[in-house]
Amino acid sequence: VFSMMAQVGSVAHQFRLVSTRTGDDQMAALAVAIMAAASIAGRLVGGVVLSHVGSKTYLYEIYVLQALSFVLFAFVQGPIALFIASAVFGSTVGNMQMMQPLIVAEAFGLKAYARILSVSQMITTCANAAGPALLGFLYVTAGGYELAFLALTISSALGFASLYAAGPVRALIDAKEKPVQG
């Protein structure tokens, strides 16, 4: 929820951020195109990476890259730096959405998969809708994107912490199999 809210908020505000910092809508459009191309490449690379690392490890990496991109967006000014930030951010876009059904299946199994995924998607959709509004509110309140993108960095870190706090999938299965003492 935290990471997806941050991701969708950033996607919605990227054009304005780049346009404001460069004074050029064409540069902003190019930054969005770079983000979109990096998103496609990121998902293709992600498919290969997932055959070598666990899904939670992969998501940890995505959350860290996303947080790094938000720090970059908070501070970089020139077109080249903004293009780099856009590429780093783009490499994370779509990966979390792609991973959500896999994580749900790993964590809860397939017996109640449809019900759990439906509720999970509903909650995530609400967070997605809140992201652009939150970023806009922070932009207006703080008078710029620096604080707003640092808040997104924290939001991505909270996503990382939430996934980490969920613990290993095997621990959930083991807890269900142990007999109750008493």
Side-chain angles (χ1 to χ4, degrees), residues 107 166 168-181:
V169 173
R170 187 74 214 158
L172 293 172
I173 295 168
D174 290 344
K176 290 179 184 175
E177 293 175 356
K178 290 183 181 175
V180 177
Q181 304 271 331

Side-chain angles (χ1 to χ4, degrees), residues 25-72:
D25 286 353
Q26 290 181 349
M27 289 290 175
L30 182 55
V32 171
I34 289 169
M35 182 268 300
S39 172
I40 293 166
R43 282 180 265 178
L44 293 172
V45 169
V48 173
V49 171
L50 276 169
S51 66
H52 301 290
V53 301
S55 56
K56 286 181 83 173
T57 300
Y58 178 70
L59 272 175
Y60 293 144
E61 294 166 359
I62 294 299
Y63 290 169
V64 168
L65 276 176
Q66 180 174 272
L68 171 64
S69 73
F70 294 153
V71 169
L72 291 172

